[in-house]
Amino acid sequence: MAIPSGEKFTVLVVEDNAAHREYITYLLKKRGLNIVKATDGESAVKLLDGLKIDCALLDIHLGKGMSGIQLMVELRNKDKYKKIPIISVTAFYSKDNKEAFINQGFTDFIAKPFNYNQLDEMLHNYLYFA
C-alpha cells in the first residue's frame, strides 16, 4: 500500500489503559503517522464515521463493552476497512493466541510490552514508507 507524496498514514489506536494508549501514540508519532485514538470499541466506531484510516491497533481486552475482537469484526463488516491491516495488541501472548486472532480476521499480532523497533517492523510489513 503506497501513499501519495506529502500525505501520511492514519492509524487507529484503541486502548483502554491511558498509559499504554499514550505510549503507543508516542511511538507512532516518532514515525510521523497521524493517530486517531479511542478508549473503547463503541467510541472508536463513532469516531470513524466519515474518517479514513490505513491501519488499526486494537487492544483485545478493552474493559467494559465491546472487545477488540468484536471491534475488529465490526470494522471488517465495513467495505472501507475490509482490507486494512488490523493488528491485535495484548499482553497475553502465546502461539495459540496469535493463530486464533489471525484466524478470526486480524492481520497480525503484537504482544505488550513492545518497543519502537518492534512496532516499526510490524508496520513495515503492512504499510509502505518512502
Side-chain angles (χ1 to χ4, degrees):
M1 169 192 309
I3 60 173
S5 177
E7 292 187 29
K8 295 187 217 178
F9 286 115
T10 299
V11 177
L12 170 67
V13 175
V14 184
E15 169 64 66
D16 62 325
N17 181 291
H20 293 167
R21 189 174 53 254
E22 292 312 309
Y23 176 69
I24 294 168
T25 299
Y26 167 76
L27 295 179
L28 293 171
K29 281 185 178 178
K30 281 180 69 171
R31 190 46 149 131
L33 299 167
N34 292 321
I35 300 123
V36 176
K37 299 182 282 186
T39 59
D40 58 61
E42 290 81 3
S43 61
V45 170
K46 289 177 189 171
L47 187 66
L48 289 176
D49 189 31
L51 286 180
K52 176 192 171 291
I53 59 167
D54 301 295
C55 180
L57 297 171
L58 308 181
D59 183 30
I60 296 302
H61 301 286
L62 291 171
K64 63 178 180 151
M66 187 184 294
S67 72
I69 295 167
Q70 291 167 316
L71 177 56
M72 177 272 303
V73 170
E74 180 92 12
L75 292 176
R76 291 287 187 226
N77 284 329
K78 297 180 185 299
D79 286 339
K80 65 182 177 178
Y81 303 128
K82 281 192 187 297
K83 296 185 180 186
I84 69 164
I86 301 178
I87 300 164
S88 61
V89 180
T90 186
F92 302 103
Y93 175 78
S94 77
K95 184 180 177 202
D96 292 338
N97 280 353
K98 181 177 180 174
E99 289 174 12
F101 291 138
I102 291 171
N103 288 337
Q104 290 176 25
F106 283 96
T107 308
D108 212 330
F109 173 99
I110 191 165
K112 297 179 206 173
F114 51 85
N115 62 35
Y116 174 79
N117 291 335
Q118 291 166 314
L119 181 60
D120 197 50
E121 183 178 320
M122 170 77 61
L123 293 174
H124 267 282
N125 290 330
Y126 303 107
L127 304 174
Y128 169 76
F129 296 109

